[in-house]
Amino acid sequence: MKILAIDTSCDDTSIALIKAEKTHFKILSNIISSQIKIHKKWGGVVPTLAKREHQKNLPLVFKKTLNKAKSASRRTKIDLVAVTIGPGLEPCLWMGVNFAKDLAKKLNLKIIPINHIEAHILANWLRPIGENFKNIFPAICLVVSGGHTQLILIREVGKYKILGETRDDAAGECFDKAARILGLGYPGGPIISKLAKKINNGSRTSIILPRPMMYQKNYDFSFSGLKTAVLYDFRAQSPKIRTSKKYIQEMCSETQQAIIDVLIKKTIRAAREFRAKAVILGGGVAANEELRKQFREIIKKNFPNTKYLIPRPKFCTDNAAMIGVTAYFHQKEATKNWQEIKVNANLKI
Ligand code: KG4
Ligand code: ZN
């Protein structure tokens, strides 16, 4: 079965064609057109600009996706269309949904509406042939992206319970806002991660930031206070110090470590409480090298029998291949009542 999948939830226009077999997904093509250059000067995503770009890019990305797929496989006939309907930026989501509807009508195909958060989780199913998952449920999944930070208990694919989520900013948003304060550009995560590496292997810096809600006995998060702490520390320094390499690298290292500490502490506590057979990560922040490494070490040390699943970095950030995988598990929801497919910017898992 070949699924054409579309994601326009935020600032990436992505279309993929995937071939789904019983236990394996082959990506025939997965094209992502990034709008980073456009949003960079504003320090974050501007929804109206993003919408305009999606509209402009969708036909081009679609063409590219088909061309690339044709070079990967002789048979590229589409069987189903999948599209993200939420959560995300409403005007952006509509661009993808309208494009999917037009295409499905033209080709007389069914559409499967997809939840973007579930797709970040199921990005883990994009694995090399032979690697399959047995005995991974119940699993604890941490979805950390620019828009979301959620701890989710998974009983099986499709059965989710949110244990906790951020009360204000998402973890990725905190990376982005801290980078903005430090004058480093957008998106903040990759830049902060790169500069933090210059500080010797996690050795402590002279800056100490708070770890919000880390010891609270719930599974919620809060990152806006951390961002404010970065701002206050930055403002308290002389212009000479706060623009120095040393200060910026130390601040990047400490910001990253504060976020990692909170995420690990709560995820591990949930894994223990629910006797998780696997800890699963997903979302853009899960591309963070230090986060991946520290999670791996702590799971190996404390739960040697617990599996640790994490997508390849390119499948952590937004992509349409993960939308295609999710569609495969939701085939029953495919419909030709195209007019029923609607956006829900606040869709819950
Ligand atoms: O999943 P994603 O592409 O989009 C949303 O669904 O939000 O996540 C984007 C977020 C941004 O906030 C970006 O700064 C963050 O993921 N991010 C990272 C890294 N790469 C992307 N954060 C930390 N370290 C990274 N290497
Ligand atoms: Zn995302």
Side-chain angles (χ1 to χ4, degrees):
M1 175 199 294
K2 294 190 194 66
I3 304 173
L4 186 100
I6 302 169
D7 186 88
T8 58
S9 57
C10 192
D11 60 342
D12 290 309
T13 314
S14 182
I15 304 185
L17 187 64
I18 69 154
K19 190 173 157 191
E21 285 154 3
K22 246 185 215 157
T23 56
H24 182 66
F25 299 95
K26 184 170 181 204
I27 300 175
L28 301 179
S29 70
N30 181 34
I31 305 292
I32 302 164
S33 165
S34 163
Q35 303 177 6
I36 284 177
K37 271 193 198 142
I38 287 151
H39 301 288
K40 211 170 189 159
K41 50 180 173 285
W42 307 97
V45 180
V46 183
T48 46
L49 291 182
K51 175 189 161 176
R52 202 185 63 189
E53 287 303 303
H54 284 309
Q55 193 160 24
K56 204 171 82 190
N57 291 335
L58 274 162
L60 306 172
V61 173
F62 177 62
K63 222 177 184 175
K64 259 193 186 169
T65 305
L66 290 191
N67 286 341
K68 177 95 189 289
K70 275 180 193 145
S71 63
S73 167
R74 268 188 300 132
R75 298 187 54 210
T76 55
K77 192 176 155 282
I78 304 166
D79 298 303
L80 275 170
V81 175
V83 64
T84 302
I85 57 158
L89 300 171
E90 179 150 357
C92 298
L93 289 162
W94 273 118
M95 290 297 107
V97 167
N98 288 336
F99 189 85
K101 283 186 190 179
D102 289 346
L103 184 71
K105 276 185 213 165
K106 211 161 92 189
L107 303 178
N108 195 27
L109 293 173
K110 289 182 176 177
I111 295 187
I112 308 184
I114 300 296
N115 180 312
H116 184 82
I117 299 289
E118 183 179 18
H120 270 306
I121 300 172
L122 298 183
N124 279 282
W125 271 246
L126 289 164
R127 303 250 148 198
I129 296 180
E131 257 190 57
N132 51 14
F133 311 127
K134 282 199 184 108
N135 226 0
I136 59 165
F137 300 121
I140 290 293
C141 180
L142 174 71
V143 178
V144 264
S145 70
H148 296 87
T149 302
Q150 290 186 328
L151 255 181
I152 299 165
L153 172 66
I154 313 181
R155 297 266 179 222
E156 60 184 73
V157 171
K159 271 198 183 166
Y160 311 102
K161 183 177 178 217
I162 298 173
L163 302 175
E165 58 195 327
T166 185
R167 294 185 181 174
D168 39 59
D169 292 353
E173 206 175 343
C174 188
F175 272 109
D176 295 338
K177 287 179 175 170
R180 191 172 174 178
I181 292 165
L182 299 172
L184 301 175
Y186 172 85
I191 309 167
I192 288 188
S193 156
K194 198 169 150 206
L195 291 170
K197 257 193 225 157
K198 313 258 181 196
I199 302 290
N200 267 343
N201 275 340
S203 62
R204 286 220 67 97
T205 67
S206 55
I207 306 165
I208 297 174
L209 294 172
R211 268 68 174 156
M213 296 184 75
M214 188 156 83
Y215 293 106
Q216 286 189 20
K217 297 272 172 254
N218 55 41
Y219 293 116
D220 284 344
F221 301 91
S222 164
F223 290 106
S224 84
L226 180 55
K227 162 205 69 192
T228 310
V230 173
L231 180 66
Y232 286 174
D233 193 284
F234 181 80
R235 279 193 188 151
Q237 310 301 327
S238 69
K240 190 168 171 226
I241 288 191
R242 69 186 183 212
T243 50
S244 70
K245 245 190 200 167
K246 180 173 179 287
Y247 177 80
I248 291 182
Q249 289 170 358
E250 286 197 353
M251 185 53 103
C252 287
S253 170
E254 176 63 3
T255 304
Q256 175 174 273
Q257 196 55 50
I259 295 171
I260 293 176
D261 284 348
V262 179
L263 295 177
I264 287 189
K265 188 92 185 167
K266 297 230 162 176
T267 308
I268 294 300
R269 191 152 59 73
R272 186 170 287 126
E273 183 181 337
F274 293 94
R275 296 173 193 280
K277 293 198 176 125
V279 170
I280 302 177
L281 304 190
V285 179
N288 186 280
E289 248 179 71
E290 198 54 36
L291 176 89
R292 297 164 82 92
K293 187 178 118 207
Q294 293 187 25
F295 254 111
R296 180 169 293 114
E297 283 165 1
I298 204 149
I299 291 168
K300 202 171 161 196
K301 189 167 154 223
N302 293 288
F303 312 99
N305 298 321
T306 302
K307 292 193 176 78
Y308 173 49
L309 305 180
I310 182 156
R312 274 179 276 166
K314 66 173 176 185
F315 297 129
C316 286
T317 43
D318 287 348
N319 66 87
M322 68 183 191
I323 306 302
V325 172
T326 311
Y328 178 75
F329 290 102
H330 285 274
Q331 287 168 56
K332 280 194 193 135
E333 288 146 49
T335 175
K336 273 194 184 167
N337 287 330
W338 303 297
Q339 72 284 357
E340 277 178 13
I341 309 279
K342 291 204 169 77
V343 160
N344 180 353
N346 300 313
L347 188 66
K348 290 273 175 211
I349 195 166

